[in-house]
Amino acid sequence: MASLFNSVSFHDFVLMGYKHQCAVTRRVIRYRNYMNLEAAHIWPRSHDGLYLPCNGIALCRDMHWAFDKGMFTIDDDYKIRVHPDIDSDYLRQYDKKTLFLPEDSFFQPSRENLRYHQRNIYGLFKTAGSLTRATRII
C-alpha cells in the first residue's frame, strides 16, 4: 500500500483525515487556498518513514517545527507530552491534552510510528545546543 502514496497524496490525505485542523491546537489560519497547516511525519522521512496516512499528523507550522525538533511527542494514549526541559508557556498549555484524532482509523497515527517518535525524536532539540534558548522566546 505504501507505493500508492507520495508527498502530495500524503499531504492531502492527512489534512483531510484531520478535517483541515491542527491536531494539537485545533486551529488553522486560512486565506482562500492558503493555510498554515502541514502534514507532519511522525516517523520522519529522513529516518525512512513512509508516506502513509498513519504516519502523519496535521499540524500548524509552529507545532510541526516543535514536533520535528522533539520538543513534544505523543504517547500511546494519544496524549501530548511536552519535554520537561521546554520552558514555553505556549507549548506547556497542551501538555497532557488529548490529540485531536481522525474519526476513521485509517488516518489515525499508528502506535508503531508514535513509539518511533518517542524513542528517536523526542528530546532531539537538546543535542542542538542553541535551540534550547530559542524555545524560551515562544
Side-chain angles (χ1 to χ4, degrees):
M1 173 159 357
S3 62
L4 298 174
F5 293 95
N6 58 37
S7 63
V8 173
S9 61
F10 172 78
H11 175 269
D12 293 345
F13 272 87
V14 169
L15 296 192
M16 182 180 65
Y18 285 86
K19 297 182 180 178
H20 293 87
Q21 295 178 61
C22 176
V24 173
T25 69
R26 297 200 67 171
R27 297 181 182 143
V28 62
I29 298 170
R30 297 176 202 261
Y31 176 75
R32 296 184 181 160
N33 291 334
Y34 300 104
M35 67 179 83
N36 73 328
L37 202 58
E38 299 175 337
H41 285 87
I42 302 165
W43 186 321
R45 288 286 301 144
S46 60
H47 294 216
D48 297 322
L50 301 175
Y51 283 122
L52 292 173
C54 66
N55 189 35
I57 300 177
L59 294 174
C60 56
R61 290 178 183 207
D62 51 351
M63 287 299 174
H64 187 176
W65 177 82
F67 187 69
D68 283 355
K69 301 299 180 209
M71 295 178 186
F72 73 92
T73 195
I74 299 149
D75 69 18
D76 292 353
D77 295 322
Y78 302 111
K79 299 266 188 214
I80 298 159
R81 299 296 178 186
V82 176
H83 196 280
D85 290 349
I86 295 298
D87 184 19
S88 165
D89 291 339
Y90 179 68
L91 282 177
R92 287 252 155 253
Q93 71 181 309
Y94 299 106
D95 192 37
K96 299 181 182 131
K97 302 276 186 193
T98 301
L99 195 72
F100 169 62
L101 291 172
E103 294 169 7
D104 189 322
S105 62
F106 177 74
F107 298 101
Q108 294 176 359
S110 80
R111 288 196 166 74
E112 178 185 0
N113 292 329
L114 292 174
R115 288 182 189 131
Y116 186 88
H117 192 275
Q118 295 160 12
R119 288 190 304 265
N120 299 286
I121 309 302
Y122 184 59
L124 226 132
F125 67 93
K126 292 171 54 169
T127 63
S130 64
L131 286 178
T132 305
R133 209 172 342 146
T135 60
R136 293 191 180 117
I137 296 169
I138 298 174

